[in-house]
Amino acid sequence: MLPPREVGEWQRWLSDPPDWCVSRQLWWGHRIPAFRVELAAESGSPNGRSSGGQSHRSMAQCVRSSLEELFGGGGGGGLSLAAACQAPDHDPCVTFSPGDGLWIVARDAASAAERLRRWLKNTAATTATGSQTTGGGLLSSAEAVDVFVARVTFEQDEDVLDTWFSSGLLPLSALGWPTSSSSSSSSSSSSSSSSTLSAPPSSQSSILHGLPDARFYPLSLMETGSDILFFWVARMAMLCTELDRGHQHQHQLQHQRQHAHKQEEEEKEEANEDAATTRMPFDNVLFHPLVRDRSGKKMSKSLGNVIDPMNVIHGVSLDAMQQELKASNLPAHEVQRASKLLIEE
């Protein structure tokens, strides 16, 4: 990492990273792949969105009541939705809260339905022994799941992902990830290329399995400004290594859930292997200098501290510079501050 002084800033951010709200209310961007479960009879609001928090709570209560009724929950020792979502082996892609309702994280509505079906069957197998319908007729757990899934719809969140989240996937998405093609195809295609573009060794991390041209991963040099060290560069490292870890050990994690009695030594060994096989998305990072004003602030149009090169070449009057400030999109108090600095200079 160059210059070396940025290493301290890197470590400061990553040693105690703040919470990251990845939801944005914009018209463009990657739509968040999360689906709220709604009862088909109740989903009548525009675009599947309820008008306020009370509607959300009402829907959450209806979903919970329907589930616990089917599985004999509530006061009868059957399925409790809140308790099921707090179980140690709970699927993290399924969440429930009284205020927001039941949410499923999935690629699309069909995947959300399948994930909910699978989660309910796994949960009911351990918590519900005597499921029944509202009419009192006994149902098996599998039948109760089918009944519930048939009753609901899946409304996708209208928010989009934070731009920095989407940008953090650039080292992967620029190569076409995710894709069904494997790195083996890029390995074979690279055999006829020059030695500088040789395919990665087979021991390289499994994130490459989804890249159509894994010869270019990782990037040898990442060059950018130091002002986005954490917002972009560190988040690329965070997301790429985390996705790598998830792909690399997905099967092992499922195996661990089924065999909770695994020895602690084996778990430590797997963790060490995990850390050793994940790869950063780039080998080197070069942070270029920033153009700043006299007070050390980064020059920015939004701050109004940018120097127009044409004014430097041809000259400009104080009145003309002040008129440019007034015509900018700066708030009134910022225009006054900038105008005062111009007069002092």
Side-chain angles (χ1 to χ4, degrees):
M1 187 175 293
L2 295 173
R5 66 173 180 271
E6 301 295 350
V7 174
E9 187 72 0
W10 175 276
Q11 294 175 341
R12 184 181 72 83
W13 276 105
L14 293 181
S15 61
D16 186 23
D19 290 340
W20 182 10
C21 176
V22 297
S23 176
R24 294 293 182 271
Q25 295 75 45
L26 302 172
W27 286 109
W28 56 88
H30 292 142
R31 194 171 176 183
I32 291 179
F35 297 81
R36 189 156 58 94
V37 179
E38 297 186 353
L39 294 179
E42 301 286 342
S43 57
S45 57
N47 299 323
R49 273 281 177 116
S50 53
S51 58
Q54 183 59 41
S55 297
H56 278 194
R57 286 192 292 270
S58 177
M59 175 58 68
Q61 181 59 39
C62 290
V63 169
R64 180 171 61 181
S65 298
S66 179
L67 266 176
E68 295 183 348
E69 179 183 359
L70 279 171
F71 290 97
L79 183 143
S80 170
L81 191 56
C85 288
Q86 297 176 359
D89 58 347
H90 167 65
D91 183 352
C93 291
V94 180
T95 64
F96 174 82
S97 72
D100 293 326
L102 182 62
W103 285 84
I104 312 293
V105 176
R107 182 178 295 272
D108 49 40
S111 301
E114 179 57 32
R115 182 179 290 275
L116 176 62
R117 187 187 306 273
R118 184 171 59 250
W119 176 76
L120 285 174
K121 287 182 178 180
N122 292 338
T123 304
T126 58
T127 60
T129 56
S131 304
Q132 58 184 2
T133 63
T134 54
L138 290 178
L139 289 174
S140 67
S141 296
E143 290 173 329
V145 168
D146 292 336
V147 168
F148 178 77
V149 175
R151 288 181 179 179
V152 300
T153 60
F154 299 87
E155 301 295 336
Q156 186 173 358
D157 194 338
E158 291 182 345
D159 289 354
V160 298
L161 291 167
D162 177 19
T163 303
W164 290 117
F165 187 97
S166 298
S167 300
L169 298 173
L170 179 64
L172 305 176
S173 60
L175 298 180
W177 178 91
T179 179
S180 57
S181 62
S182 67
S183 58
S184 58
S185 60
S186 51
S187 299
S188 60
S189 64
S190 63
S191 59
S192 58
S193 304
S194 63
S195 58
T196 57
L197 296 178
S198 59
S202 59
S203 61
Q204 191 163 354
S205 56
S206 62
I207 194 67
L208 300 179
H209 181 76
L211 299 180
D213 204 335
R215 298 171 297 165
F216 303 107
Y217 189 94
L219 186 69
S220 59
L221 175 65
M222 177 70 204
E223 185 269 340
T224 187
S226 58
D227 56 325
I228 54 175
L229 177 150
F230 176 71
F231 295 105
W232 189 32
V233 183
R235 283 170 169 170
M236 282 191 286
M238 290 162 56
L239 285 170
C240 290
T241 53
E242 177 63 23
L243 289 172
D244 183 3
R245 183 178 298 110
H247 280 273
Q248 181 82 346
H249 292 283
Q250 184 177 11
H251 176 73
Q252 289 90 328
L253 291 175
Q254 292 174 349
H255 186 71
Q256 286 179 10
R257 293 192 185 101
Q258 297 172 359
H259 300 81
H261 60 276
K262 274 198 169 185
Q263 297 296 325
E264 184 177 353
E265 292 75 11
E266 294 180 2
E267 294 177 353
K268 289 182 179 180
E269 182 179 351
E270 288 183 0
N272 292 334
E273 291 176 357
D274 187 23
T277 56
T278 54
R279 295 200 65 173
M280 295 286 285
F282 27 74
D283 293 330
N284 304 280
V285 185
L286 171 63
F287 292 105
H288 61 242
L290 302 176
V291 180
R292 302 179 184 274
D293 62 13
R294 67 171 188 169
S295 62
K297 292 183 178 180
K298 175 185 174 182
M299 283 195 176
S300 167
K301 289 181 180 179
S302 60
L303 292 178
N305 61 349
V306 175
I307 296 177
D308 188 338
M310 300 305 295
N311 291 343
V312 176
I313 295 172
H314 301 295
V316 64
S317 67
L318 175 61
D319 289 340
M321 295 179 68
Q322 289 181 319
Q323 287 301 319
E324 289 180 359
L325 276 176
K326 293 178 181 179
S328 68
N329 61 349
L330 291 174
H333 69 279
E334 289 290 346
V335 171
Q336 293 177 1
R337 184 186 65 83
S339 180
K340 181 179 178 181
L341 290 176
L342 282 177
I343 295 174
E344 292 178 355
E345 292 179 356

